[in-house]
């Protein structure tokens, strides 16, 4: 785009997979359950009911915040965010306003403004009953813990937004704090978009909402950028509002004019005491963070000599990465190259029916063994390599063990790469030591 720079920021809601809801003992596993079977006076917002805080949800939020480089507020609190909607029984949402659990992170070069914890709302179900259009409310989701991450407006194109979000989804999964499934609504995306003529932050932003796949988000952002560009080029002003995306027409459409933050009348939640976190507690949570996908894929490249795209595919599911490493360990005894294992896993499309790692290793040995040069051929290749490289042999005798690698390479060259590495090595050492 010549005239404008797109300025994009994100708000991401992730439902936490805690056992119980945020402020009561009801199960938070609500997906596909019979409506209004997982409710109590607290999550229904009945008068006089007193909420109490789920510690697991707090820990999960902090774990996530630390994983994306945030600092943790040692003093944090909850606030009431007021608005009226039928799926919000109390008339306010318990959220966090000025003291979120996590702030000021940097992840993948993007600044993270904050990560806070809040309660989810109930769900409206629109149905026609006896010929009458009706709206029903299911409160099973009401007060399920919901983590909200807000980024700074650091993105300038749709593709980097999607790459970033895929990484965020993977982090949530690696941390085992959420399944982060968009089809189930466990991960919900919102993008704020504006166009800047001079690189500075414009005075308006349009919020794209209710988008439930990465693919549609990318399309929606691009459609919105196009719409705004057209308006600006025609000299028009852009209204600050919330827009949805029409997947069929591939355009965004207006949903509502955006409220200002002060319309929510935030004030401290009096029923939940502030949360104080000691350094020891934060350190303890930090220690529980496993190796994350980005580090893992870097390690796969360094440690196993995998191409970057292989490593990326392997870490895109934690189980797959674990499987690969298990197979590498087993394959080591058979002198199987890790890349061979990765290749088998990725290119042979064994994914759906991957056998136990040990069986995969046996299979690869079987497949490759057939192609190995027969032992006599290896022997004669090794013999001639030793004859042709007298200097290397003398070096070996003088204690320079590293020449073995060079001699192996020469032997493989003669064998056109068909020597079984462990056999070639054995043969070489045997003859060298004579
Ligand atoms: Zn409840
Ligand atoms: Mn929110």
């Amino acid at each position: 785009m010549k005239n404008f720079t797109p300025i994009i920021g994100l708000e991401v809601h992730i439902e936490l997979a805690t056992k119980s809801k945020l402020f009561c003992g009801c199960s938070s596993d609500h997906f596909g359950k019979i409506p209004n079977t997982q409710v109590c006076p607290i999550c229904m917002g009945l008068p006089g009911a007193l909420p109490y805080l789920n510690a697991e949800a707090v820990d999960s939020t902090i774990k996530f915040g630390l994983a994306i480089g945030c600092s943790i507020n040692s003093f944090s609190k909850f606030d009431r965010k007021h608005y009226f909607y039928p799926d919000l029984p109390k008339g306010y949402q318990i959220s966090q306003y000025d003291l979120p659990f996590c702030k000021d992170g940097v992840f993948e070069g993007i600044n993270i403004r904050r990560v806070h914890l809040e309660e989810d709302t109930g769900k409206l179900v629109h149905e026609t009953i006896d010929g009458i259009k009706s709206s029903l409310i299911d409160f099973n989701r009401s007060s399920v813990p919901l983590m909200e991450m807000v980024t700074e407006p650091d993105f300038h194109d749709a593709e980097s937004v999607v790459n970033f979000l895929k990484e965020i989804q993977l982090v949530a999964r690696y941390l085992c704090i959420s399944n982060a499934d968009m089809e189930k609504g466990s991960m919900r995306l919102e993008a704020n978009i504006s166009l800047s003529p001079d690189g500075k932050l414009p005075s308006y932003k349009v919020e794209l909402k209710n988008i439930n796949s990465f693919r549609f988000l990318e399309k929606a952002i691009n459609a919105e950028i196009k719409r705004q560009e057209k308006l600006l080029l025609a000299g028009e002003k852009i209204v600050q509002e919330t827009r949805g995306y029409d997947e069929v027409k591939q355009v965004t459409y207006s949903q509502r004019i955006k409220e200002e933050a002060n319309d929510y009348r935030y004030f401290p939640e009096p029923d939940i005491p502030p949360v104080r976190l000691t350094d020891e507690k934060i350190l303890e949570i930090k220690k529980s963070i496993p190796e994350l996908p980005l580090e893992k894929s870097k390690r796969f490249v360094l440690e196993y000599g995998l191409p970057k795209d292989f490593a990326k595919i392997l870490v895109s599911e934690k189980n797959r990465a674990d499987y690969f490493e298990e197979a590498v360990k087993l394959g080591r005894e058979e002198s199987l190259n890790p890349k061979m294992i990765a290749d088998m896993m990725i290119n042979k499309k064994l994914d759906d029916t991957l056998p136990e790692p040990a069986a995969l290793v046996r299979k690869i040995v079987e497949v490759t063994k057939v192609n190995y040069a027969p032992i006599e051929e290896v022997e004669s290749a090794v013999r001639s390599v030793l004859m042709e490289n007298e200097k290397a042999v003398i070096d070996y005798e003088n204690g320079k063990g590293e020449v073995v690698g060079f001699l192996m390479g020469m032997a493989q060259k003669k064998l056109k790469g068909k020597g079984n590495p462990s056999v070639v090595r054995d043969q070489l050492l045997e003859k060298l030591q004579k």
Side-chain angles (χ1 to χ4, degrees):
M1 196 177 308
K2 270 191 233 123
N3 301 292
F4 306 103
T5 310
I7 311 271
I8 308 168
L10 299 176
E11 283 171 30
V12 181
H13 285 88
I14 295 177
E15 245 179 29
L16 297 175
T18 52
K19 248 203 192 103
S20 53
K21 292 186 180 180
L22 190 49
F23 304 119
C24 62
C26 296
S27 169
S28 60
D29 180 15
H30 62 86
F31 189 78
K33 298 284 154 51
I34 298 164
N36 298 312
T37 54
Q38 304 188 155
V39 293
C40 74
I42 296 172
C43 56
M44 296 275 286
L46 299 187
L50 277 178
Y52 50 93
L53 183 59
N54 180 339
E56 193 193 349
V58 176
D59 288 2
S60 297
T61 305
I62 291 165
K63 205 169 170 181
F64 178 80
L66 289 170
I68 59 170
C70 287
S71 44
I72 307 301
N73 271 323
S74 54
F75 181 81
S76 190
K77 68 176 173 70
F78 286 88
D79 301 271
R80 293 185 176 181
K81 178 184 181 180
H82 296 81
Y83 65 92
F84 285 102
Y85 206 67
D87 63 10
L88 189 69
K90 295 191 290 290
Y92 59 83
Q93 176 191 35
I94 302 180
S95 179
Q96 297 191 285
Y97 185 50
D98 53 336
L99 289 171
F101 284 121
C102 324
K103 59 177 182 186
D104 303 333
V106 183
F107 182 71
E108 286 288 273
I110 297 298
N111 291 292
I112 311 292
R113 187 179 297 167
R114 58 189 281 150
V115 181
H116 70 252
L117 184 57
E118 60 189 29
E119 57 180 335
D120 209 344
T121 62
K123 217 174 182 173
L124 286 182
V125 184
H126 305 284
E127 268 178 32
T128 304
I129 300 169
D130 296 335
I132 300 166
K133 279 191 180 167
S134 312
S135 292
L136 307 170
I137 311 175
D138 174 10
F139 287 107
N140 283 351
R141 198 180 68 177
S142 180
S143 275
V144 165
L146 195 60
M147 187 175 74
E148 178 175 339
M149 177 193 76
V150 183
T151 77
E152 295 297 337
D154 286 351
F155 299 93
H156 303 294
D157 65 274
E159 198 192 336
S160 20
V161 166
V162 169
N163 289 338
F164 173 87
L165 286 171
K166 282 182 179 164
E167 234 22 88
I168 287 290
Q169 182 185 50
L170 210 49
V171 167
R173 288 178 176 170
Y174 267 61
L175 296 177
C176 296
I177 57 168
S178 173
N179 58 36
D181 272 340
M182 278 187 291
E183 319 84 70
K184 291 183 181 168
S186 315
M187 180 167 171
R188 289 168 240 160
L189 319 172
E190 287 160 47
N192 296 308
I193 305 170
S194 48
L195 294 190
S196 166
D198 51 10
K200 286 186 201 136
L201 202 61
S203 59
Y204 76 95
K205 64 185 176 194
V206 172
E207 196 174 310
L208 274 183
K209 255 191 163 167
N210 301 322
I211 292 159
N212 51 14
S213 82
F214 290 134
R215 201 163 53 91
F216 282 134
L217 180 70
E218 189 165 354
K219 289 187 167 183
I221 291 174
N222 285 327
E224 179 57 19
I225 289 173
K226 234 186 253 167
R227 184 189 73 93
Q228 292 187 18
E229 185 187 26
K230 216 167 141 190
L231 286 171
L232 290 174
L233 285 176
E236 284 179 57
K237 256 192 108 179
I238 291 170
V239 184
Q240 175 141 327
E241 61 182 344
T242 301
R243 296 178 74 87
Y245 180 61
D246 185 323
E247 293 162 9
V248 180
K249 293 184 194 152
Q250 306 207 4
V251 292
T252 65
Y253 60 90
S254 179
Q255 286 185 317
R256 62 189 162 89
I257 305 297
K258 177 99 182 122
E259 308 91 348
E260 292 298 322
N262 56 17
D263 280 349
Y264 290 128
R265 294 180 294 124
Y266 277 103
F267 69 74
E269 166 59 56
D271 289 337
I272 299 170
V275 180
R276 280 167 225 272
L277 292 157
T278 61
D279 290 349
E280 292 78 52
K281 174 72 182 167
I282 294 167
L283 194 67
E284 183 194 314
I285 297 175
K286 197 169 198 166
K287 279 188 188 150
S288 74
I289 296 175
E291 184 182 37
L292 294 170
L294 283 169
E295 304 163 29
K296 203 185 273 292
S297 87
K298 272 184 206 148
R299 180 168 63 80
F300 279 11
V301 171
L302 278 176
E303 197 174 325
Y304 303 124
L306 297 186
K308 273 187 190 156
D309 53 334
F310 272 30
K312 220 179 152 188
I313 295 170
L314 290 176
V315 304
S316 67
E317 264 174 50
K318 191 171 179 295
N319 288 345
R320 193 183 303 168
D322 291 346
Y323 179 104
F324 167 72
E325 289 210 277
E326 178 68 30
V328 167
K329 215 193 279 164
L330 295 167
R332 210 165 273 154
E333 286 147 37
E334 311 284 346
S335 304
L336 281 191
N337 175 335
K339 201 180 153 198
M340 221 189 252
I341 294 171
D343 186 58
M344 195 70 163
M345 287 178 67
I346 293 164
N347 292 327
K348 301 290 182 285
K349 305 225 180 324
L350 282 173
D351 254 14
D352 303 326
T353 50
L354 271 181
E356 287 301 296
L360 179 78
V361 167
R362 275 199 301 278
K363 200 178 163 123
I364 298 176
V365 169
E366 222 169 79
V367 170
T368 47
K369 191 167 55 187
V370 184
N371 296 325
Y372 277 155
I375 183 106
E376 305 77 48
E377 216 172 291
V378 175
E379 256 194 296
S380 90
V382 165
R383 208 176 293 125
S384 44
V385 163
L386 291 181
M387 263 169 0
E388 288 158 21
N389 295 278
E390 243 171 87
K391 188 178 173 296
V393 175
I394 293 167
D395 283 348
Y396 179 83
E397 281 160 2
N398 289 332
K400 285 191 179 167
E402 64 270 22
V403 297
V404 173
F406 162 76
L407 292 169
M408 272 189 74
M410 299 307 286
Q412 285 289 28
K413 210 170 164 187
K414 275 199 193 302
L415 292 162
K416 299 196 168 58
K418 286 196 171 172
N420 179 341
S422 65
V423 175
V424 177
R425 196 183 168 82
D426 286 351
Q427 285 290 322
L428 255 175
L429 290 177
E430 198 189 302
K431 295 198 164 51
L432 277 169
Q433 278 152 13
K434 265 183 193 164

